[in-house]
């Protein structure tokens, strides 16, 4: 029988952290032990490459990036994007009062960008592809340095519509309910 071992599974809004290092080393080790025992093993990861958290980095880069790239900054792509994730939080704390006076919250700005992505807005999708490519290149350097690899990569952006359908069916059947803020609960 074939066995799938899933590990790492990062978000694309920041570099891998110590928890990922632990998960990578454990997952890779388990996969190699199973393989040494004669089993067929598929090493995989599910990459969380879409959502509000990604939009934070994108919004910060749009506002403060001035065209900065991994090449122009000398940083690994995941580190550069992570810097903008942190920058978003720093600026958010400074600007929350201003956003409120304008009638727009930070949450609304992130949701607006996510909705634009889901609608296929060319500018938003292009920025998303660019910044994710920087992160993937940074991840690859880290994975190579750690000596781990994957047979298959799954991306949330390729499967989120299935998840949305399941949630919608759950709401319809009364398994889930939606709060006023749009969040879904069970």
């Amino acid at each position: 029988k074939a066995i799938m071992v899933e590990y790492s599974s990062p978000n694309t809004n920041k570099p891998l952290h110590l928890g990922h290092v632990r998960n990578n080393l454990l997952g890779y080790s388990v996969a190699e032990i199973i393989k040494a025992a004669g089993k067929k093993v598929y090493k995989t990861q599910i990459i969380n490459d879409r959502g509000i958290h990604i939009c934070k980095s994108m919004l910060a880069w749009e506002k403060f990036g001035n065209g900065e790239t991994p090449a122009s900054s000398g940083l690994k792509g995941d580190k550069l994007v992570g810097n903008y994730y942190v920058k978003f939080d720093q600026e958010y704390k400074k600007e929350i009062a201003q956003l409120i006076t304008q009638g727009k919250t930070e949450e609304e700005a992130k949701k607006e960008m996510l909705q634009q992505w889901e609608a296929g807005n060319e500018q938003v999708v292009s920025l998303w592809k660019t910044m994710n490519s920087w992160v993937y290149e940074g991840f690859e350097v880290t994975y190579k340095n750690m000596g781990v690899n994957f047979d298959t990569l799954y991306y949330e952006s390729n499967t989120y519509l299935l998840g949305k359908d399941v949630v919608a069916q759950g709401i319809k059947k009364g398994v889930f309910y939606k709060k006023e803020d749009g969040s879904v609960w069970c």
Side-chain angles (χ1 to χ4, degrees):
K1 290 184 177 180
I3 298 170
M4 180 169 48
V5 179
E6 182 263 324
Y7 54 96
S8 193
S9 300
N11 293 329
T12 58
N13 60 324
K14 56 189 170 195
L16 299 174
H17 54 67
L18 189 56
H20 291 110
V21 172
R22 181 197 66 219
N23 291 344
N24 286 332
L25 296 176
L26 287 171
Y28 184 79
S29 297
V30 166
E32 291 298 310
I33 290 168
I34 294 169
K35 191 163 96 177
K39 303 287 185 186
K40 173 65 180 162
V41 176
Y42 295 97
K43 297 176 278 187
T44 189
Q45 66 174 324
I46 302 167
I47 300 171
N48 188 359
D49 66 341
R50 64 166 300 280
I52 296 292
H53 57 286
I54 307 301
C55 293
K56 287 181 178 182
S57 299
M58 292 168 60
L59 284 167
W61 186 87
E62 275 189 333
K63 189 166 184 176
F64 306 108
N66 297 316
E68 185 177 33
T69 67
S72 70
S73 67
L75 296 172
K76 279 180 37 203
D78 54 341
K79 175 67 175 157
L80 176 67
V81 172
N83 287 349
Y84 285 102
Y85 183 72
V86 170
K87 179 76 169 167
F88 179 92
D89 188 58
Q90 292 168 343
E91 295 299 322
Y92 165 70
K93 288 175 181 171
K94 291 179 190 173
E95 295 183 13
I96 189 64
Q98 182 183 3
L99 287 171
I100 290 171
T101 61
Q102 294 174 355
K104 187 183 222 184
T105 67
E106 169 257 352
E107 197 63 33
E108 289 170 330
K110 292 183 299 186
K111 284 181 182 177
E112 182 180 311
M113 180 171 264
L114 182 58
Q115 289 168 344
Q116 290 173 352
W117 180 88
E118 289 179 355
N121 177 290
E122 281 187 41
Q123 183 179 349
V124 172
V125 170
S126 177
L127 176 59
W128 171 79
K129 286 179 180 179
T130 297
M131 291 181 76
N132 275 348
S133 74
W134 295 342
V135 172
Y136 299 147
E137 290 169 10
F139 285 174
E140 281 305 311
V141 169
T142 302
Y143 293 145
K144 184 178 178 184
N145 290 340
M146 291 177 66
V148 301
N149 59 33
F150 302 92
D151 298 312
T152 309
L153 306 175
Y154 296 98
Y155 299 89
E156 183 187 354
S157 59
N158 293 333
T159 61
Y160 81 97
L161 289 175
L162 174 62
K164 284 180 80 168
D165 287 344
V166 169
V167 170
Q169 289 173 16
I171 291 170
K172 188 176 180 180
K173 292 179 181 178
V175 175
F176 306 130
Y177 66 94
K178 190 180 275 194
K179 289 187 175 182
E180 281 185 33
D181 67 359
S183 62
V184 177
W185 296 77
C186 58

